[in-house]
């Protein structure tokens, strides 16, 4: 964020947004590839086939019971923070049992399928009859394959059910928060609120670790080698191409702006719109492509999808903000500027806009993560309240820096805009301190 803000008056700032988001994908995939195989190996039981299937049945029965309990709790009209904590534990346990059972049963299913392939198809009536031993072996192998296949299908259904239950819990929590949007809660300055958030932090951290582990398990289980290679190749290509593409776009814009006579208002507005589109589109396309590949390759889960969606929206928010302020304020090119502002004032306005966009985007990502882990409401209130105060402070500092924003000593045409900005900053700060986060 610091690097982004310091370079906010350069088109290169957009590259940091795209590179940061794509690097986030890369880190997640590498972590899934490096950690999950060891995790699966460490949890694979060394048991006989019959004993392993019996253990799998017990685990799936437990997962099914946990999901039934979660469904019953979710059906209640009023849910407390304790209920959400219990829901998080039940769905997490069901998801973990289902995934571990799948990891344990897949080798057995592959072995049974291999034995059936070796036995070949059952001979028809015209062929010589099989020996009694071959018939018994075929029947036993077929039964073993059918039993394991049924258990695998059941485990997959329970895993999907756990994902759907987690998504329903997050949606229910959002609905409760939305209904309480205009209700007064604890002030962001309340020690009681901070104490509750700090007390809930370890549990939220465990839920976050479980969310990451579940996603890594899904990637390890579903990803094919060529899919991971294609996704990594796309990310590396986007990272490597960001700087030269940005340089080409900047030179094209600068050349078109500087060519010809003094621009009229129509050309100023056209080039402002074109600049905004060019600057904003590159990181948005780069990150959207990565998200699309994850979706096409089915390398996400219903619980983790909102976090990735928030990351994509955050990239769009920051990129569009940069495109708009760059296009309208045209740093270092006053002839194309839509407002009569000096260069120092332009730099300060761009810096203020980018800091606010980054702060809001970070808050949305944190909020989506808290929703996905069904974190206690106190942590969401703290995240929103801290962001609100930060935005109010940044807005106030930016307005203070441009307090002398005048076209001439007798022409203060931007006084109304400054007054609206100060009113917004004070309202945001007062709302957060009063408990309306």
């Amino acid at each position: 964020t610091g690097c982004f803000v310091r370079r906010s008056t350069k088109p290169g700032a957009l590259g940091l947004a795209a590179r940061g988001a794509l690097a986030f994908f890369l880190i997640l995939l590498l972590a899934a590839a490096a950690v999950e195989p060891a995790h699966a190996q460490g949890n694979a039981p060394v048991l006989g086939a019959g004993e392993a299937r019996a253990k799998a049945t017990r685990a799936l029965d437990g997962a099914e019971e946990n999901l039934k309990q979660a469904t019953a709790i979710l059906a209640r009209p009023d849910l407390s923070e304790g209920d959400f904590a219990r829901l998080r534990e039940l769905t997490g346990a069901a998801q973990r049992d289902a995934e571990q059972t799948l990891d344990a049963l897949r080798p057995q299913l592959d072995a049974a399928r291999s034995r059936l392939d070796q036995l070949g198809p059952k001979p028809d009536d015209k062929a010589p009859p099989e020996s009694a031993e071959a018939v018994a072996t075929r029947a036993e192998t077929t039964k073993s394959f059918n039993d394991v296949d049924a258990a695998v299908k059941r485990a997959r259904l329970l895993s999907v059910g756990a994902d759907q239950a987690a998504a329903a819990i997050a949606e229910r929590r959002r609905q409760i928060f939305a209904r309480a949007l205009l209700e007064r809660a604890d002030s962001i300055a309340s020690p009681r609120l901070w104490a509750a958030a700090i007390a809930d932090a370890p549990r939220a951290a465990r839920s976050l670790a479980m969310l990451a582990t579940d996603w890594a398990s899904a990637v390890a289980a579903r990803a094919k080698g060529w899919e991971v290679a294609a996704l990594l190749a796309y990310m590396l290509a986007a990272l490597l191409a960001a700087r030269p593409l940005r340089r080409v776009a900047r030179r094209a814009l600068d050349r078109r702006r500087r060519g010809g006579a003094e621009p009229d208002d129509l050309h100023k507005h056209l080039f402002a719109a074109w600049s905004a589109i060019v600057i904003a589109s590159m990181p948005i396309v780069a990150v959207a492509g990565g998200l699309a590949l994850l979706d096409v390759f089915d390398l996400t889960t219903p619980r983790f999808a909102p976090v990735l969606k928030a990351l994509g929206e955050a990239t769009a928010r920051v990129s569009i903000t940069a495109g708009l302020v760059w296009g309208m304020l045209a740093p270092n090119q006053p002839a194309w500027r839509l407002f009569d502002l000096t260069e120092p004032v332009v730099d300060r306005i761009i810096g203020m806009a980018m800091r606010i966009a980054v702060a809001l985007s970070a808050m949305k990502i944190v909020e989506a993560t808290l929703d996905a882990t069904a974190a206690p409401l106190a942590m969401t209130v703290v995240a929103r309240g801290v962001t609100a105060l930060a935005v109010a402070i940044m807005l106030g500092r930016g307005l203070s820096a441009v307090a002398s924003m005048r076209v001439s000593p007798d022409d203060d045409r931007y006084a109304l805009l400054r007054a609206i900005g100060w009113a917004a900053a004070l309202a945001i700060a007062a709302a957060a301190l009063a408990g309306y986060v």
Side-chain angles (χ1 to χ4, degrees):
T1 302
C3 295
F4 192 99
V5 170
R6 283 194 294 274
R7 299 187 62 191
S8 61
T9 58
K10 306 282 187 186
L14 272 297
L16 291 174
R19 284 198 296 254
L22 289 171
F24 177 77
F25 293 141
L26 185 61
I27 290 171
L28 287 176
L29 283 174
L30 290 177
V35 175
E36 185 55 28
H39 171 77
Q41 184 177 358
N43 286 283
V46 183
L47 300 171
E51 187 178 352
R53 286 199 294 273
K55 182 177 180 180
T57 300
R58 291 193 298 270
L60 295 179
D61 289 342
E64 188 172 6
E65 180 60 29
N66 285 335
L67 284 181
K68 287 181 180 178
Q69 292 184 35
T71 302
I73 295 174
L74 195 59
R76 297 174 185 171
D78 297 318
L79 296 178
S80 64
E81 283 301 311
D83 292 330
F84 279 111
R86 179 60 176 158
L87 285 169
R88 184 169 59 249
E89 293 172 0
L90 290 171
T91 55
Q95 180 72 50
R96 185 171 56 254
D97 289 342
E99 291 294 339
Q100 290 180 357
T101 302
L102 276 175
D103 292 338
L105 291 178
R106 283 193 187 101
Q108 297 183 34
L109 185 65
D110 294 339
R113 183 182 290 111
S114 177
R115 288 196 298 271
L116 281 177
D117 291 340
Q118 291 174 2
L119 287 172
K122 184 178 180 179
D124 55 24
D125 296 336
K126 297 180 181 179
E130 289 184 312
S131 64
E133 182 180 356
V135 172
T137 301
R138 183 185 300 280
E140 182 182 355
T141 304
T142 302
K143 182 179 184 305
S144 176
F145 175 82
N146 291 336
D147 290 344
V148 177
D149 185 55
V152 167
K153 290 177 179 177
R154 184 186 179 197
R156 286 173 178 163
L157 286 175
L158 288 172
S159 178
V160 172
D163 282 338
Q164 292 174 343
I169 293 167
E171 179 61 27
R172 181 71 178 277
R173 191 172 176 278
R174 282 193 293 269
Q175 291 174 358
I176 292 175
F177 187 81
R179 286 199 300 267
L181 190 61
L182 298 180
E183 296 178 5
R184 185 175 182 179
D186 287 331
S187 165
I188 190 60
S190 169
R192 182 176 61 181
L193 175 66
W194 284 93
I198 292 172
D200 291 326
R203 187 170 58 187
R206 290 193 297 270
S207 298
L208 180 60
M210 185 181 297
L211 176 69
T213 301
D214 290 344
W215 182 78
S217 299
V219 171
R222 304 173 189 171
K224 300 179 179 66
W226 70 269
E227 292 177 343
V228 175
L231 188 57
L232 293 178
Y234 171 82
M235 293 178 188
L236 290 175
L239 292 173
L240 293 175
R243 185 179 294 275
L245 286 176
R246 188 170 62 249
R247 191 180 297 117
V248 169
R250 180 173 58 191
R251 288 175 179 172
L253 289 173
D254 290 347
R255 185 167 54 251
R256 295 191 68 179
R257 278 176 168 161
R258 289 169 180 164
E262 189 74 13
D264 55 22
D265 286 344
L266 175 61
H267 284 85
K268 285 184 181 181
H269 283 82
L270 289 176
F271 281 122
W274 176 245
S275 299
I277 293 172
V278 170
I279 293 172
S281 62
M282 288 188 291
I284 292 175
V285 170
V287 175
L291 292 174
L293 285 177
L294 285 174
D295 187 55
V296 169
F297 296 153
D298 193 24
L299 298 183
T300 185
T301 62
R303 283 211 310 167
F304 198 70
V307 180
L308 294 176
K309 180 182 177 183
L311 181 66
E313 291 174 348
T315 303
R317 184 180 296 105
V318 174
S319 302
I320 291 172
T321 300
L324 288 174
V325 295
W326 182 270
M328 291 189 296
L329 300 181
N332 304 318
Q333 294 178 331
W336 290 90
R337 196 168 294 156
L338 299 186
F339 301 92
D340 296 322
L341 303 173
T342 62
E343 205 66 40
V345 171
V346 166
D347 291 343
R348 289 165 182 164
I349 292 176
I350 291 178
M352 175 181 66
M354 296 310 301
R355 290 185 185 95
I356 292 175
V358 170
L360 291 174
S361 298
M363 185 268 289
K364 290 296 184 182
I365 294 174
V366 170
E367 192 176 65
T369 305
L370 293 175
D371 280 345
T373 58
L377 190 59
M379 302 194 71
T380 301
V381 173
V382 166
R384 281 178 169 262
V386 168
T387 304
L389 283 181
V391 168
I393 292 171
M394 288 185 285
L395 188 54
R397 288 186 61 186
L399 292 169
S400 297
V402 298
S404 59
M405 189 170 63
R406 294 170 181 264
V407 178
S408 67
D410 299 327
D411 185 358
D412 191 10
R413 66 184 66 175
Y414 301 117
L416 179 60
L417 287 177
R418 288 200 308 274
I420 294 173
W422 275 113
L426 294 174
I428 292 169
L433 292 173
Y436 298 97
V437 296

